[in-house]
Amino acid sequence: MNGFDELGPETAELVRPYVITKGRGLPNEEQLSLITLVTAAGDQLQRPTQLSPEEQGLLDLCTAGFLSVAEIAGHTRLPMGVVKILLSALTEGGYLITRPPVQRAPLTDRHILEEVLNGLRTKFG
């Protein structure tokens, strides 16, 4: 019996995040935030075989439509940093399309809102 057998079957499933990400670093927060929407690119019929099982799983998950980065991390149960790195690599490879979150609308001037309210009160009592 060697030392690996003594560790048990749970240890065989444990893979360090830097192995999954192949040593790549985190992308910028502007590139992939928690609410960035991700979907698979249109032509996924000829998937390359050099993708890791985790990358293949992300690609399969993203073919259903737009999902946020947070949703993808929840479905895969991978750490958020690992998911962001893999999504970034797949996006750079042309396998995924990302859509940045919609920016917040500017706040309306309080004076204008009061005029609208006064107008509505005048018209409808």
Side-chain angles (χ1 to χ4, degrees), residues 6-66:
E6 296 171 358
L7 295 176
E10 301 87 23
T11 309
E13 295 179 10
L14 179 66
V15 179
R16 298 280 183 204
Y18 63 83
V19 174
I20 296 173
T21 62
K22 300 176 186 167
R24 294 176 285 213
L26 282 170
N28 294 336
E29 186 65 25
E30 295 85 31
Q31 184 183 2
L32 281 175
S33 70
L34 292 177
I35 57 176
T36 299
L37 297 176
V38 181
T39 191
D43 184 26
Q44 291 299 318
L45 299 176
Q46 299 176 352
R47 284 193 192 165
T49 56
Q50 73 262 21
L51 294 178
S52 69
E54 292 82 13
E55 290 171 325
Q56 288 283 356
L58 288 176
L59 214 49
D60 290 339
L61 186 62
C62 292
T63 56
F66 280 99

Side-chain angles (χ1 to χ4, degrees), residues 74-93:
H75 286 297
T76 60
R77 298 181 187 213
L78 291 171
M80 181 61 67
V82 171
V83 170
K84 282 185 173 186
I85 292 168
L86 294 176
L87 290 176
S88 176
L90 289 170
T91 302
E92 290 171 6

Side-chain angles (χ1 to χ4, degrees), residues 35 100-106:
I35 57 176
V102 177
Q103 295 197 5
R104 289 186 172 195

